[in-house]
Amino acid sequence: MSQDVTPLYVADVSAFTKALRKSLSETDTFPGHAAMLAMVAKAAGYRNHQHLKAEQPKTPELDELALKRALRVFDDQGRMIRWPKWTKVQGLCLWPFWARMPAHQDMTEKEVNEILKPGLTFGDHVLLRRSLIDHKLATRTIDGRTYRRIEQRPTQDALALMDRLKSR
């Protein structure tokens, strides 16, 4: 049997347990693994276990082209050597800088610059700072004095990019 994880959401636990108990009472012997999976799936409102698995949301696949293009703009030390042309790749390349910013902390423009400058070689940290705002990875006050990282879960592509940069 495979080790795939199949999450199960049960809206009404009471109805679920009643249906499962009824299924169990109809059998003379204790059911095997496959029969038990089928009973649980039916009690949760699915036709069978395969139907339950088919209804699970698919994990998004990595955008290998964007990831490949993003990796090209970083050197072997993980520093950005140029600004990418594609907007999607630009947003992807900002995630490593987002990860360097402290969570739940207000920063001055100077502090943000000190975080960004070591991560690039082309010298335009202002472009990165503005792009973090544009791509909704950070916020700043209207007067531009206070910056803050926007807390969110990185995308699958961003996680893959950061992992590959770490392994260089």
PDB file of all heavy atoms in Angstrom, residues 80-111:
ATOM      1  N   MET A  80      22.275  38.527  -6.284  1.00  0.00           N
ATOM      2  CA  MET A  80      21.635  38.877  -7.552  1.00  0.00           C
ATOM      3  C   MET A  80      22.612  39.704  -8.386  1.00  0.00           C
ATOM      4  O   MET A  80      23.147  40.703  -7.911  1.00  0.00           O
ATOM      5  CB  MET A  80      20.349  39.661  -7.290  1.00  0.00           C
ATOM      6  CG  MET A  80      19.553  39.935  -8.551  1.00  0.00           C
ATOM      7  SD  MET A  80      18.046  40.891  -8.238  1.00  0.00           S
ATOM      8  CE  MET A  80      16.960  39.608  -7.682  1.00  0.00           C
ATOM      9  N   ILE A  81      22.839  39.275  -9.632  1.00  0.00           N
ATOM     10  CA  ILE A  81      23.813  39.960 -10.484  1.00  0.00           C
ATOM     11  C   ILE A  81      23.157  40.887 -11.503  1.00  0.00           C
ATOM     12  O   ILE A  81      23.825  41.737 -12.080  1.00  0.00           O
ATOM     13  CB  ILE A  81      24.729  38.943 -11.204  1.00  0.00           C
ATOM     14  CG1 ILE A  81      23.903  37.926 -11.987  1.00  0.00           C
ATOM     15  CG2 ILE A  81      25.638  38.266 -10.205  1.00  0.00           C
ATOM     16  CD1 ILE A  81      24.718  36.930 -12.801  1.00  0.00           C
ATOM     17  N   ARG A  82      21.863  40.695 -11.735  1.00  0.00           N
ATOM     18  CA  ARG A  82      21.127  41.582 -12.654  1.00  0.00           C
ATOM     19  C   ARG A  82      19.649  41.483 -12.361  1.00  0.00           C
ATOM     20  O   ARG A  82      19.192  40.540 -11.721  1.00  0.00           O
ATOM     21  CB  ARG A  82      21.420  41.238 -14.110  1.00  0.00           C
ATOM     22  CG  ARG A  82      20.963  39.868 -14.525  1.00  0.00           C
ATOM     23  CD  ARG A  82      21.319  39.553 -15.987  1.00  0.00           C
ATOM     24  NE  ARG A  82      21.107  38.161 -16.279  1.00  0.00           N
ATOM     25  CZ  ARG A  82      19.930  37.599 -16.507  1.00  0.00           C
ATOM     26  NH1 ARG A  82      18.839  38.327 -16.485  1.00  0.00           N
ATOM     27  NH2 ARG A  82      19.821  36.311 -16.761  1.00  0.00           N
ATOM     28  N   TRP A  83      18.886  42.442 -12.850  1.00  0.00           N
ATOM     29  CA  TRP A  83      17.444  42.470 -12.648  1.00  0.00           C
ATOM     30  C   TRP A  83      16.789  41.705 -13.790  1.00  0.00           C
ATOM     31  O   TRP A  83      17.050  41.987 -14.961  1.00  0.00           O
ATOM     32  CB  TRP A  83      16.964  43.909 -12.596  1.00  0.00           C
ATOM     33  CG  TRP A  83      15.517  44.059 -12.249  1.00  0.00           C
ATOM     34  CD1 TRP A  83      14.554  44.609 -13.035  1.00  0.00           C
ATOM     35  CD2 TRP A  83      14.871  43.673 -11.038  1.00  0.00           C
ATOM     36  NE1 TRP A  83      13.353  44.579 -12.386  1.00  0.00           N
ATOM     37  CE2 TRP A  83      13.517  44.004 -11.148  1.00  0.00           C
ATOM     38  CE3 TRP A  83      15.309  43.056  -9.860  1.00  0.00           C
ATOM     39  CZ2 TRP A  83      12.586  43.758 -10.147  1.00  0.00           C
ATOM     40  CZ3 TRP A  83      14.382  42.811  -8.858  1.00  0.00           C
ATOM     41  CH2 TRP A  83      13.040  43.170  -9.008  1.00  0.00           C
ATOM     42  N   PRO A  84      15.925  40.729 -13.504  1.00  0.00           N
ATOM     43  CA  PRO A  84      15.300  39.944 -14.573  1.00  0.00           C
ATOM     44  C   PRO A  84      14.300  40.762 -15.392  1.00  0.00           C
ATOM     45  O   PRO A  84      13.745  41.747 -14.912  1.00  0.00           O
ATOM     46  CB  PRO A  84      14.599  38.813 -13.826  1.00  0.00           C
ATOM     47  CG  PRO A  84      14.543  39.211 -12.409  1.00  0.00           C
ATOM     48  CD  PRO A  84      15.552  40.271 -12.175  1.00  0.00           C
ATOM     49  N   LYS A  85      14.061  40.312 -16.624  1.00  0.00           N
ATOM     50  CA  LYS A  85      13.148  41.019 -17.525  1.00  0.00           C
ATOM     51  C   LYS A  85      11.686  40.683 -17.245  1.00  0.00           C
ATOM     52  O   LYS A  85      10.830  41.547 -17.290  1.00  0.00           O
ATOM     53  CB  LYS A  85      13.474  40.669 -18.977  1.00  0.00           C
ATOM     54  CG  LYS A  85      14.815  41.167 -19.430  1.00  0.00           C
ATOM     55  CD  LYS A  85      15.103  40.741 -20.844  1.00  0.00           C
ATOM     56  CE  LYS A  85      16.497  41.173 -21.252  1.00  0.00           C
ATOM     57  NZ  LYS A  85      16.850  40.714 -22.590  1.00  0.00           N
ATOM     58  N   TRP A  86      11.390  39.414 -16.994  1.00  0.00           N
ATOM     59  CA  TRP A  86      10.010  38.983 -16.780  1.00  0.00           C
ATOM     60  C   TRP A  86       9.507  39.443 -15.410  1.00  0.00           C
ATOM     61  O   TRP A  86      10.182  39.280 -14.404  1.00  0.00           O
ATOM     62  CB  TRP A  86       9.916  37.481 -16.816  1.00  0.00           C
ATOM     63  CG  TRP A  86       9.957  36.836 -18.160  1.00  0.00           C
ATOM     64  CD1 TRP A  86      10.371  37.377 -19.329  1.00  0.00           C
ATOM     65  CD2 TRP A  86       9.581  35.489 -18.440  1.00  0.00           C
ATOM     66  NE1 TRP A  86      10.278  36.457 -20.322  1.00  0.00           N
ATOM     67  CE2 TRP A  86       9.794  35.282 -19.807  1.00  0.00           C
ATOM     68  CE3 TRP A  86       9.105  34.441 -17.675  1.00  0.00           C
ATOM     69  CZ2 TRP A  86       9.532  34.076 -20.424  1.00  0.00           C
ATOM     70  CZ3 TRP A  86       8.835  33.243 -18.294  1.00  0.00           C
ATOM     71  CH2 TRP A  86       9.041  33.067 -19.655  1.00  0.00           C
ATOM     72  N   THR A  87       8.294  39.963 -15.367  1.00  0.00           N
ATOM     73  CA  THR A  87       7.699  40.401 -14.112  1.00  0.00           C
ATOM     74  C   THR A  87       7.535  39.224 -13.153  1.00  0.00           C
ATOM     75  O   THR A  87       7.790  39.352 -11.951  1.00  0.00           O
ATOM     76  CB  THR A  87       6.337  41.073 -14.361  1.00  0.00           C
ATOM     77  OG1 THR A  87       6.523  42.140 -15.292  1.00  0.00           O
ATOM     78  CG2 THR A  87       5.732  41.604 -13.077  1.00  0.00           C
ATOM     79  N   LYS A  88       7.120  38.084 -13.672  1.00  0.00           N
ATOM     80  CA  LYS A  88       6.944  36.904 -12.830  1.00  0.00           C
ATOM     81  C   LYS A  88       8.267  36.486 -12.193  1.00  0.00           C
ATOM     82  O   LYS A  88       8.318  36.136 -11.008  1.00  0.00           O
ATOM     83  CB  LYS A  88       6.375  35.751 -13.653  1.00  0.00           C
ATOM     84  CG  LYS A  88       6.106  34.514 -12.855  1.00  0.00           C
ATOM     85  CD  LYS A  88       5.452  33.447 -13.704  1.00  0.00           C
ATOM     86  CE  LYS A  88       5.081  32.250 -12.847  1.00  0.00           C
ATOM     87  NZ  LYS A  88       4.352  31.242 -13.582  1.00  0.00           N
ATOM     88  N   VAL A  89       9.333  36.535 -12.952  1.00  0.00           N
ATOM     89  CA  VAL A  89      10.650  36.160 -12.443  1.00  0.00           C
ATOM     90  C   VAL A  89      11.146  37.219 -11.454  1.00  0.00           C
ATOM     91  O   VAL A  89      11.778  36.889 -10.454  1.00  0.00           O
ATOM     92  CB  VAL A  89      11.644  35.947 -13.607  1.00  0.00           C
ATOM     93  CG1 VAL A  89      13.032  35.629 -13.094  1.00  0.00           C
ATOM     94  CG2 VAL A  89      11.151  34.832 -14.527  1.00  0.00           C
ATOM     95  N   GLN A  90      10.829  38.475 -11.709  1.00  0.00           N
ATOM     96  CA  GLN A  90      11.199  39.539 -10.772  1.00  0.00           C
ATOM     97  C   GLN A  90      10.595  39.270  -9.404  1.00  0.00           C
ATOM     98  O   GLN A  90      11.280  39.330  -8.381  1.00  0.00           O
ATOM     99  CB  GLN A  90      10.718  40.896 -11.286  1.00  0.00           C
ATOM    100  CG  GLN A  90      11.436  41.385 -12.521  1.00  0.00           C
ATOM    101  CD  GLN A  90      10.780  42.601 -13.143  1.00  0.00           C
ATOM    102  OE1 GLN A  90       9.752  43.095 -12.668  1.00  0.00           O
ATOM    103  NE2 GLN A  90      11.360  43.090 -14.228  1.00  0.00           N
ATOM    104  N   GLY A  91       9.298  38.972  -9.393  1.00  0.00           N
ATOM    105  CA  GLY A  91       8.624  38.678  -8.132  1.00  0.00           C
ATOM    106  C   GLY A  91       9.219  37.471  -7.432  1.00  0.00           C
ATOM    107  O   GLY A  91       9.386  37.456  -6.214  1.00  0.00           O
ATOM    108  N   LEU A  92       9.557  36.463  -8.204  1.00  0.00           N
ATOM    109  CA  LEU A  92      10.158  35.253  -7.651  1.00  0.00           C
ATOM    110  C   LEU A  92      11.521  35.550  -7.030  1.00  0.00           C
ATOM    111  O   LEU A  92      11.855  35.056  -5.955  1.00  0.00           O
ATOM    112  CB  LEU A  92      10.278  34.203  -8.764  1.00  0.00           C
ATOM    113  CG  LEU A  92      10.769  32.822  -8.401  1.00  0.00           C
ATOM    114  CD1 LEU A  92       9.915  32.195  -7.320  1.00  0.00           C
ATOM    115  CD2 LEU A  92      10.769  31.943  -9.646  1.00  0.00           C
ATOM    116  N   CYS A  93      12.298  36.389  -7.688  1.00  0.00           N
ATOM    117  CA  CYS A  93      13.647  36.724  -7.211  1.00  0.00           C
ATOM    118  C   CYS A  93      13.639  37.592  -5.956  1.00  0.00           C
ATOM    119  O   CYS A  93      14.659  37.719  -5.280  1.00  0.00           O
ATOM    120  CB  CYS A  93      14.434  37.432  -8.311  1.00  0.00           C
ATOM    121  SG  CYS A  93      14.865  36.340  -9.667  1.00  0.00           S
ATOM    122  N   LEU A  94      12.510  38.187  -5.625  1.00  0.00           N
ATOM    123  CA  LEU A  94      12.423  39.019  -4.431  1.00  0.00           C
ATOM    124  C   LEU A  94      12.256  38.201  -3.142  1.00  0.00           C
ATOM    125  O   LEU A  94      12.551  38.685  -2.059  1.00  0.00           O
ATOM    126  CB  LEU A  94      11.258  40.005  -4.563  1.00  0.00           C
ATOM    127  CG  LEU A  94      11.447  41.096  -5.611  1.00  0.00           C
ATOM    128  CD1 LEU A  94      10.145  41.852  -5.818  1.00  0.00           C
ATOM    129  CD2 LEU A  94      12.566  42.031  -5.213  1.00  0.00           C
ATOM    130  N   TRP A  95      11.797  36.973  -3.263  1.00  0.00           N
ATOM    131  CA  TRP A  95      11.543  36.158  -2.078  1.00  0.00           C
ATOM    132  C   TRP A  95      12.780  35.932  -1.209  1.00  0.00           C
ATOM    133  O   TRP A  95      12.676  35.986   0.024  1.00  0.00           O
ATOM    134  CB  TRP A  95      10.899  34.828  -2.465  1.00  0.00           C
ATOM    135  CG  TRP A  95       9.433  34.972  -2.731  1.00  0.00           C
ATOM    136  CD1 TRP A  95       8.827  35.049  -3.949  1.00  0.00           C
ATOM    137  CD2 TRP A  95       8.387  35.081  -1.769  1.00  0.00           C
ATOM    138  NE1 TRP A  95       7.465  35.201  -3.796  1.00  0.00           N
ATOM    139  CE2 TRP A  95       7.171  35.214  -2.466  1.00  0.00           C
ATOM    140  CE3 TRP A  95       8.363  35.072  -0.381  1.00  0.00           C
ATOM    141  CZ2 TRP A  95       5.947  35.333  -1.817  1.00  0.00           C
ATOM    142  CZ3 TRP A  95       7.139  35.188   0.261  1.00  0.00           C
ATOM    143  CH2 TRP A  95       5.952  35.322  -0.455  1.00  0.00           C
ATOM    144  N   PRO A  96      13.964  35.668  -1.774  1.00  0.00           N
ATOM    145  CA  PRO A  96      15.129  35.525  -0.888  1.00  0.00           C
ATOM    146  C   PRO A  96      15.415  36.794  -0.073  1.00  0.00           C
ATOM    147  O   PRO A  96      15.860  36.710   1.072  1.00  0.00           O
ATOM    148  CB  PRO A  96      16.280  35.216  -1.851  1.00  0.00           C
ATOM    149  CG  PRO A  96      15.627  34.611  -3.043  1.00  0.00           C
ATOM    150  CD  PRO A  96      14.309  35.308  -3.157  1.00  0.00           C
ATOM    151  N   PHE A  97      15.128  37.947  -0.650  1.00  0.00           N
ATOM    152  CA  PHE A  97      15.323  39.206   0.080  1.00  0.00           C
ATOM    153  C   PHE A  97      14.240  39.367   1.147  1.00  0.00           C
ATOM    154  O   PHE A  97      14.516  39.834   2.248  1.00  0.00           O
ATOM    155  CB  PHE A  97      15.328  40.389  -0.888  1.00  0.00           C
ATOM    156  CG  PHE A  97      16.488  40.365  -1.835  1.00  0.00           C
ATOM    157  CD1 PHE A  97      16.355  39.866  -3.125  1.00  0.00           C
ATOM    158  CD2 PHE A  97      17.732  40.817  -1.429  1.00  0.00           C
ATOM    159  CE1 PHE A  97      17.430  39.818  -3.980  1.00  0.00           C
ATOM    160  CE2 PHE A  97      18.819  40.781  -2.283  1.00  0.00           C
ATOM    161  CZ  PHE A  97      18.668  40.276  -3.561  1.00  0.00           C
ATOM    162  N   TRP A  98      13.024  38.974   0.814  1.00  0.00           N
ATOM    163  CA  TRP A  98      11.926  38.992   1.785  1.00  0.00           C
ATOM    164  C   TRP A  98      12.296  38.125   2.989  1.00  0.00           C
ATOM    165  O   TRP A  98      12.059  38.506   4.139  1.00  0.00           O
ATOM    166  CB  TRP A  98      10.649  38.482   1.112  1.00  0.00           C
ATOM    167  CG  TRP A  98       9.488  38.296   2.037  1.00  0.00           C
ATOM    168  CD1 TRP A  98       8.555  39.226   2.377  1.00  0.00           C
ATOM    169  CD2 TRP A  98       9.132  37.098   2.741  1.00  0.00           C
ATOM    170  NE1 TRP A  98       7.642  38.685   3.246  1.00  0.00           N
ATOM    171  CE2 TRP A  98       7.976  37.373   3.477  1.00  0.00           C
ATOM    172  CE3 TRP A  98       9.677  35.825   2.814  1.00  0.00           C
ATOM    173  CZ2 TRP A  98       7.349  36.428   4.281  1.00  0.00           C
ATOM    174  CZ3 TRP A  98       9.054  34.877   3.604  1.00  0.00           C
ATOM    175  CH2 TRP A  98       7.907  35.184   4.333  1.00  0.00           C
ATOM    176  N   ALA A  99      12.883  36.961   2.720  1.00  0.00           N
ATOM    177  CA  ALA A  99      13.240  36.024   3.794  1.00  0.00           C
ATOM    178  C   ALA A  99      14.318  36.599   4.712  1.00  0.00           C
ATOM    179  O   ALA A  99      14.392  36.228   5.890  1.00  0.00           O
ATOM    180  CB  ALA A  99      13.703  34.704   3.193  1.00  0.00           C
ATOM    181  N   ARG A 100      15.151  37.498   4.207  1.00  0.00           N
ATOM    182  CA  ARG A 100      16.209  38.109   5.025  1.00  0.00           C
ATOM    183  C   ARG A 100      15.679  39.200   5.943  1.00  0.00           C
ATOM    184  O   ARG A 100      16.330  39.566   6.916  1.00  0.00           O
ATOM    185  CB  ARG A 100      17.286  38.705   4.126  1.00  0.00           C
ATOM    186  CG  ARG A 100      18.059  37.678   3.347  1.00  0.00           C
ATOM    187  CD  ARG A 100      19.041  38.330   2.416  1.00  0.00           C
ATOM    188  NE  ARG A 100      19.626  37.334   1.523  1.00  0.00           N
ATOM    189  CZ  ARG A 100      20.236  37.620   0.403  1.00  0.00           C
ATOM    190  NH1 ARG A 100      20.368  38.884   0.024  1.00  0.00           N
ATOM    191  NH2 ARG A 100      20.729  36.664  -0.345  1.00  0.00           N
ATOM    192  N   MET A 101      14.511  39.730   5.624  1.00  0.00           N
ATOM    193  CA  MET A 101      13.936  40.801   6.440  1.00  0.00           C
ATOM    194  C   MET A 101      13.345  40.197   7.716  1.00  0.00           C
ATOM    195  O   MET A 101      12.718  39.142   7.672  1.00  0.00           O
ATOM    196  CB  MET A 101      12.848  41.544   5.658  1.00  0.00           C
ATOM    197  CG  MET A 101      13.371  42.268   4.430  1.00  0.00           C
ATOM    198  SD  MET A 101      12.065  42.957   3.395  1.00  0.00           S
ATOM    199  CE  MET A 101      11.546  44.322   4.407  1.00  0.00           C
ATOM    200  N   PRO A 102      13.546  40.851   8.858  1.00  0.00           N
ATOM    201  CA  PRO A 102      12.995  40.311  10.102  1.00  0.00           C
ATOM    202  C   PRO A 102      11.464  40.378  10.117  1.00  0.00           C
ATOM    203  O   PRO A 102      10.870  41.330   9.610  1.00  0.00           O
ATOM    204  CB  PRO A 102      13.600  41.206  11.186  1.00  0.00           C
ATOM    205  CG  PRO A 102      14.000  42.452  10.487  1.00  0.00           C
ATOM    206  CD  PRO A 102      14.297  42.087   9.065  1.00  0.00           C
ATOM    207  N   ALA A 103      10.869  39.361  10.687  1.00  0.00           N
ATOM    208  CA  ALA A 103       9.405  39.289  10.760  1.00  0.00           C
ATOM    209  C   ALA A 103       8.868  40.184  11.863  1.00  0.00           C
ATOM    210  O   ALA A 103       9.514  40.351  12.902  1.00  0.00           O
ATOM    211  CB  ALA A 103       8.983  37.849  11.001  1.00  0.00           C
ATOM    212  N   HIS A 104       7.700  40.751  11.634  1.00  0.00           N
ATOM    213  CA  HIS A 104       6.966  41.538  12.630  1.00  0.00           C
ATOM    214  C   HIS A 104       7.811  42.659  13.241  1.00  0.00           C
ATOM    215  O   HIS A 104       7.751  42.907  14.440  1.00  0.00           O
ATOM    216  CB  HIS A 104       6.454  40.634  13.759  1.00  0.00           C
ATOM    217  CG  HIS A 104       5.689  39.453  13.291  1.00  0.00           C
ATOM    218  ND1 HIS A 104       4.458  39.550  12.691  1.00  0.00           N
ATOM    219  CD2 HIS A 104       6.001  38.131  13.314  1.00  0.00           C
ATOM    220  CE1 HIS A 104       4.030  38.342  12.378  1.00  0.00           C
ATOM    221  NE2 HIS A 104       4.950  37.463  12.743  1.00  0.00           N
ATOM    222  N   GLN A 105       8.596  43.312  12.415  1.00  0.00           N
ATOM    223  CA  GLN A 105       9.470  44.359  12.941  1.00  0.00           C
ATOM    224  C   GLN A 105       9.481  45.548  11.985  1.00  0.00           C
ATOM    225  O   GLN A 105       9.651  45.387  10.785  1.00  0.00           O
ATOM    226  CB  GLN A 105      10.891  43.810  13.092  1.00  0.00           C
ATOM    227  CG  GLN A 105      11.866  44.784  13.690  1.00  0.00           C
ATOM    228  CD  GLN A 105      13.242  44.148  13.875  1.00  0.00           C
ATOM    229  OE1 GLN A 105      13.360  42.969  14.133  1.00  0.00           O
ATOM    230  NE2 GLN A 105      14.267  44.956  13.728  1.00  0.00           N
ATOM    231  N   ASP A 106       9.311  46.742  12.548  1.00  0.00           N
ATOM    232  CA  ASP A 106       9.428  47.958  11.758  1.00  0.00           C
ATOM    233  C   ASP A 106      10.904  48.231  11.504  1.00  0.00           C
ATOM    234  O   ASP A 106      11.742  48.023  12.378  1.00  0.00           O
ATOM    235  CB  ASP A 106       8.811  49.147  12.496  1.00  0.00           C
ATOM    236  CG  ASP A 106       7.292  49.065  12.543  1.00  0.00           C
ATOM    237  OD1 ASP A 106       6.709  48.328  11.717  1.00  0.00           O
ATOM    238  OD2 ASP A 106       6.688  49.725  13.403  1.00  0.00           O
ATOM    239  N   MET A 107      11.213  48.695  10.281  1.00  0.00           N
ATOM    240  CA  MET A 107      12.595  49.010   9.909  1.00  0.00           C
ATOM    241  C   MET A 107      12.639  50.368   9.244  1.00  0.00           C
ATOM    242  O   MET A 107      11.680  50.787   8.599  1.00  0.00           O
ATOM    243  CB  MET A 107      13.123  47.960   8.925  1.00  0.00           C
ATOM    244  CG  MET A 107      13.244  46.573   9.487  1.00  0.00           C
ATOM    245  SD  MET A 107      13.586  45.373   8.193  1.00  0.00           S
ATOM    246  CE  MET A 107      11.966  45.209   7.472  1.00  0.00           C
ATOM    247  N   THR A 108      13.773  51.004   9.363  1.00  0.00           N
ATOM    248  CA  THR A 108      13.985  52.254   8.649  1.00  0.00           C
ATOM    249  C   THR A 108      14.463  51.920   7.239  1.00  0.00           C
ATOM    250  O   THR A 108      14.844  50.780   6.949  1.00  0.00           O
ATOM    251  CB  THR A 108      15.046  53.110   9.347  1.00  0.00           C
ATOM    252  OG1 THR A 108      16.297  52.418   9.305  1.00  0.00           O
ATOM    253  CG2 THR A 108      14.654  53.417  10.786  1.00  0.00           C
ATOM    254  N   GLU A 109      14.468  52.926   6.384  1.00  0.00           N
ATOM    255  CA  GLU A 109      14.960  52.730   5.016  1.00  0.00           C
ATOM    256  C   GLU A 109      16.418  52.269   5.037  1.00  0.00           C
ATOM    257  O   GLU A 109      16.818  51.401   4.274  1.00  0.00           O
ATOM    258  CB  GLU A 109      14.819  54.038   4.238  1.00  0.00           C
ATOM    259  CG  GLU A 109      15.192  53.932   2.784  1.00  0.00           C
ATOM    260  CD  GLU A 109      14.953  55.224   2.046  1.00  0.00           C
ATOM    261  OE1 GLU A 109      13.785  55.656   1.961  1.00  0.00           O
ATOM    262  OE2 GLU A 109      15.943  55.801   1.544  1.00  0.00           O
ATOM    263  N   LYS A 110      17.196  52.839   5.931  1.00  0.00           N
ATOM    264  CA  LYS A 110      18.612  52.474   6.044  1.00  0.00           C
ATOM    265  C   LYS A 110      18.764  51.000   6.433  1.00  0.00           C
ATOM    266  O   LYS A 110      19.613  50.295   5.883  1.00  0.00           O
ATOM    267  CB  LYS A 110      19.292  53.372   7.076  1.00  0.00           C
ATOM    268  CG  LYS A 110      20.762  53.133   7.224  1.00  0.00           C
ATOM    269  CD  LYS A 110      21.385  54.081   8.237  1.00  0.00           C
ATOM    270  CE  LYS A 110      22.858  53.789   8.385  1.00  0.00           C
ATOM    271  NZ  LYS A 110      23.494  54.645   9.374  1.00  0.00           N
ATOM    272  N   GLU A 111      17.947  50.528   7.369  1.00  0.00           N
ATOM    273  CA  GLU A 111      18.013  49.122   7.785  1.00  0.00           C
ATOM    274  C   GLU A 111      17.638  48.187   6.641  1.00  0.00           C
ATOM    275  O   GLU A 111      18.262  47.142   6.458  1.00  0.00           O
ATOM    276  CB  GLU A 111      17.093  48.880   8.989  1.00  0.00           C
ATOM    277  CG  GLU A 111      17.557  49.549  10.255  1.00  0.00           C
ATOM    278  CD  GLU A 111      16.524  49.501  11.367  1.00  0.00           C
ATOM    279  OE1 GLU A 111      15.309  49.467  11.075  1.00  0.00           O
ATOM    280  OE2 GLU A 111      16.952  49.509  12.538  1.00  0.00           O
TER     281      GLU A 111
END
